[in-house]
Amino acid sequence: MSRHEPPLVMGIVNVTPDSFSDGGRFLATDDAVAHGHRLLADGADILDIGGESTRPGATRPLVEDELARVVPVISELAAAGAVVSVDTMRAEVAEAAIAAGATIVNDVSGGLADPRILDITAAGGATYVVMHWRGHSDRMQQLASYDGPGGVVAAVRDELAERIDAARAAGIAEDRLVLDPGLGFSKTADHNWQLLAGLAELSHGLPVLVGASRKAFLGHLLSDAEGTPRPVAERESAHTALVALLAERGVWGLRVHDVRAATDALAVVRRLRS
Ligand code: PMM
């Protein structure tokens, strides 16, 4: 296992005013591009560029705003040789992103928000990340119930199966599909841990991407004696431990903010294995 072999590190470039951990920091094109270059220098294999915050309660940007945020950043970073993923739920944005050089469409809605995105991805020959999702951010936490047999793992497995079928039916090639359990999207902290423990049961034999970086369930895990969650900026050691454990479980990719911490952890895993 050498670099550029799984698990790949997908560095996050949020070009948004309101993402939960870094909203507003990289809203200007130049700042976002500079951030992308830093992540590449830190060892990112992929840059995931998004212009819509999906944190619980967020409102959606206008499509023109989303396009204006991501397309120039994608053009510059793809032209510089980066492997670029676009984090969008909109077909129109995916289409412009592919034209600008993105080769991965990371659709947190798994094709539910805008089904045409599947056709656009197929036509563009891009890789498609199918994430488990039940609804937009304004109501997603109301949809966090998994009462059927097998609980959250079985529900996510079965709901993802429908989305994979839709992606295949649209013509997305088998070797261009990646699954993501969607940590935090209509999930409680307990659901996230159950999904992480049950990744092998829900993967359908496809490559799996996991996005745990800085999320609230890590803050809850590390709550202080009064029950106050650990702040966003102080969750990295727990996340880095998770990166190493998930590498050992054979995930395909890790979507992270702190690329250096993740690549350091993977260097340890790789060295120990060799
Ligand atoms: N999480 C967020 C955004 N995009 N994409 C994938 N594939 N998986 C995720 O878990 C995911 C995502 C929300 O986190 P952010 O606001 O830090 O980007």
Side-chain angles (χ1 to χ4, degrees):
M1 186 167 80
S2 63
R3 270 211 54 217
H4 302 302
E5 280 176 29
L8 303 177
V9 174
M10 178 186 263
I12 301 170
V13 182
N14 280 327
V15 199
T16 58
D18 56 347
S19 286
F20 73 95
S21 73
D22 52 6
R25 285 187 58 201
F26 311 115
L27 192 53
T29 300
D30 291 350
D31 293 344
V33 170
H35 185 58
H37 281 296
R38 270 194 303 276
L39 298 184
L40 291 172
D42 286 343
D45 300 293
I46 301 165
L47 296 178
D48 188 41
I49 299 168
E52 171 172 2
S53 167
T54 46
R55 70 165 180 197
T59 50
R60 304 202 68 192
L62 297 173
V63 65
E64 307 85 81
D65 290 341
E66 192 183 340
L67 284 165
R69 288 173 189 172
V70 299
V71 172
V73 179
I74 291 170
S75 298
E76 278 205 47
L77 289 168
V83 176
V84 170
S85 152
V86 60
D87 186 344
T88 188
M89 295 184 251
R90 287 176 162 138
E92 206 174 328
V93 177
E95 190 165 30
I98 291 170
T103 55
I104 302 173
V105 173
N106 174 24
D107 175 5
V108 299
S109 83
L112 286 170
D114 183 354
R116 212 170 56 86
I117 200 169
L118 301 174
D119 304 317
I120 295 294
T121 305
T127 292
Y128 186 65
V129 179
V130 192
M131 202 189 82
H132 178 263
W133 183 90
R134 283 183 164 183
H136 285 289
S137 302
D138 54 354
R139 61 186 197 107
M140 71 178 173
Q141 289 317 105
Q142 296 156 33
L143 304 171
S145 67
Y146 301 89
D147 300 329
V152 67
V153 173
V156 168
R157 179 196 64 211
D158 295 349
E159 289 169 34
L160 278 174
E162 291 176 22
R163 306 318 310 151
I164 298 163
D165 287 348
R168 286 180 179 138
I172 297 175
E174 197 60 30
D175 63 355
R176 298 229 179 273
L177 284 170
V178 173
L179 279 196
D180 186 320
L183 301 181
F185 289 79
S186 303
K187 321 278 184 327
T188 63
D190 280 348
H191 292 145
N192 291 341
W193 289 113
Q194 288 169 47
L195 290 168
L196 285 167
L199 283 181
E201 290 163 61
L202 58 83
S203 76
H204 298 279
L206 291 172
V208 174
L209 174 70
V210 174
S213 183
R214 298 185 183 168
K215 285 189 177 169
F217 75 112
L218 297 174
H220 290 303
L221 177 76
L222 305 172
S223 291
D224 66 16
E226 278 78 50
T228 307
R230 184 75 68 80
V232 169
E234 296 168 35
R235 298 172 184 169
E236 194 52 48
S237 334
H239 179 252
T240 308
L242 195 54
V243 164
L245 291 165
L246 291 175
E248 287 293 75
R249 289 178 185 200
V251 301
W252 171 85
L254 297 151
R255 183 180 178 278
V256 310
H257 297 89
D258 188 337
V259 167
R260 193 152 196 247
T263 53
D264 284 357
L266 295 179
V268 171
V269 172
R270 287 171 175 139
R271 183 65 187 88
L272 206 52
R273 270 193 204 171
S274 70

